[in-house]
Amino acid sequence: MDSSIEEAGAPPSGPDDPAPPAPEAAPKEAAAPAGSAERAAVAPTSLSPSRAGDFMQCPLLYRFRVIDRLPEKPSEAATRGTLVHAVLERLFDAPAGERTAPRAKALIPGQWDRLRESRPELGELFADDPEGQRLAQWLDEAERLVERWFTLEDPTRLEPAERELFVEAELASGLRLRGIIDRVDVAPTGEVRIVDYKTGRAPRPEYTEGALFQMKFYALVVWRLKGVVPRRLQLVYLGSGDVLTYDPVPADLERVERKLHALWEAIRQATETGDWRPRPSRLCGWCDHQAHCPEFGGTPPPYPLPVRAPESGGVPQGRMGPD
């Protein structure tokens, strides 16, 4: 790929940086790890697919994760997703002819060791499993997901231009978008394909648009960086063995851009007023923050940012937060 993407480099530190994968709704970012809540709170300065999804799901959840940085317990499903992503990334280090299912499965123990070294909190996952039975089953499931990938794609015929690529673009409005793309393929003709691995199951048809939001977000960032609309967006669902593809056009990405601007304006207003409303849904049962949520009788921690009363005569304009 050209330097406009390659020079994106590693993500700088910041309050909305991409982090290791969370559950399938947010595969590239998780809540801040335990202990990070002690860091000084700052207003958000950028938007990623996962954090956009958080706000759309529940503004209060967004606040807890981005501003308060409340710790969340690691989950087996999210961590397995992280492990599988790492294995599929590392497999492409091998020559094409050696990218086999046995080799990929052989990478799992080493990648699991590296993951635990980098994230000590993952030791909690199997602390109550002294015989190692749950861990063995968990690793077996990771193997099955990796094996299934070989029925969906042939890595011996792929030479990714980028893997786990951090991208960041600033729109004309000043809104900064960022994220991590699992894989970028570039055809000899220059056409770009963005690929994302999912360790869950493919959504029902009525939920396809929501699943594609993340991919259109990435396509928008690449478009703004390169001036080229990706030819194809591809979601590879290892949990169900499905591949979902979509070929975007500029009008699609312009709609996403407008949606993100509206979303960012809502985030900016909530940040300035401190008004973060919970949005109850069936997903509340999976939330780690029920003790702090008014919907469950809890009380949010004191708001750590200055609060301004809404300005009269209209909505304040301009960028939010430090640059």
Side-chain angles (χ1 to χ4, degrees):
M1 301 190 72
D2 69 19
S3 61
S4 61
I5 284 186
E6 290 174 352
E7 290 174 359
S13 60
D16 200 25
D17 288 342
E24 282 302 317
K28 293 297 196 313
E29 295 180 298
S36 63
E38 298 175 1
R39 295 169 58 181
V42 294
T45 59
S46 61
L47 194 60
S48 66
S50 294
R51 299 294 79 87
D54 287 344
F55 189 85
M56 290 186 289
Q57 175 186 326
C58 174
L60 187 58
L61 174 64
Y62 177 97
R63 177 201 148 171
F64 286 158
R65 285 180 166 170
V66 176
I67 295 178
D68 297 296
R69 290 181 166 265
L70 298 182
E72 296 185 1
K73 294 178 294 186
S75 75
E76 292 185 17
T79 306
R80 185 166 49 229
T82 305
L83 175 60
V84 170
H85 276 73
V87 169
L88 299 186
E89 180 192 3
R90 292 274 69 83
L91 182 65
F92 284 103
D93 290 340
E98 299 177 18
R99 297 170 193 162
T100 63
R103 184 184 183 102
K105 291 193 294 183
L107 292 173
I108 290 176
Q111 292 301 316
W112 173 228
D113 288 342
R114 291 184 181 89
L115 190 57
R116 286 184 297 169
E117 289 173 6
S118 64
R119 296 176 57 190
E121 72 273 13
L122 296 181
E124 303 173 17
L125 280 175
F126 301 102
D128 59 349
D129 182 36
E131 302 299 323
Q133 294 180 344
R134 275 183 37 242
L135 174 59
Q137 293 174 353
W138 185 82
L139 291 171
D140 285 345
E141 177 58 23
E143 286 192 3
R144 285 193 290 272
L145 293 170
V146 168
E147 279 187 304
R148 186 168 290 144
W149 179 59
F150 286 83
T151 70
L152 305 174
E153 296 190 288
D154 181 359
T156 67
R157 299 170 62 88
L158 296 171
E159 289 299 338
E162 302 286 356
R163 291 172 275 153
E164 293 295 313
L165 175 67
F166 174 80
V167 290
E168 182 177 52
E170 186 168 308
L171 305 181
S173 65
L175 171 58
R176 192 161 72 245
L177 306 178
R178 53 172 55 185
I180 299 176
I181 301 174
D182 285 346
R183 198 179 84 218
V184 179
D185 301 331
V186 179
T189 56
E191 294 177 314
V192 174
R193 176 172 66 181
I194 297 176
V195 181
D196 196 77
Y197 308 121
K198 302 292 187 184
T199 50
R201 303 180 65 83
R204 297 197 298 270
E206 61 266 33
Y207 296 113
T208 297
E209 185 61 30
L212 285 170
F213 171 76
Q214 172 193 359
M215 302 302 284
K216 291 180 180 180
F217 185 109
Y218 293 146
L220 173 62
V221 174
V222 171
W223 184 29
R224 292 311 183 205
L225 283 173
K226 290 176 59 66
V228 175
V229 175
R231 174 69 178 82
R232 173 153 293 182
L233 310 178
Q234 181 166 304
L235 285 161
V236 181
Y237 286 94
L238 305 178
S240 57
D242 296 297
V243 177
L244 175 63
T245 62
Y246 183 81
D247 297 341
V249 296
D252 290 333
L253 306 187
E254 288 168 352
R255 283 191 292 270
V256 171
E257 190 169 33
R258 289 193 295 270
K259 179 176 182 176
L260 292 174
H261 278 127
L263 190 64
W264 187 247
E265 176 61 19
I267 291 172
R268 188 190 64 78
Q269 290 189 54
T271 302
E272 290 187 350
T273 64
D275 185 8
W276 301 91
R277 308 273 177 98
R279 183 175 297 148
S281 74
R282 60 183 179 84
L283 297 175
C284 291
W286 299 93
C287 184
D288 279 343
H289 307 302
Q290 293 181 9
H292 296 288
C293 180
E295 294 294 321
F296 292 86
T299 302
Y303 190 54
L305 298 176
V307 173
R308 268 196 326 199
E311 296 181 14
S312 60
V315 178
Q317 299 297 315
R319 297 185 64 183
M320 175 188 65
D323 291 326

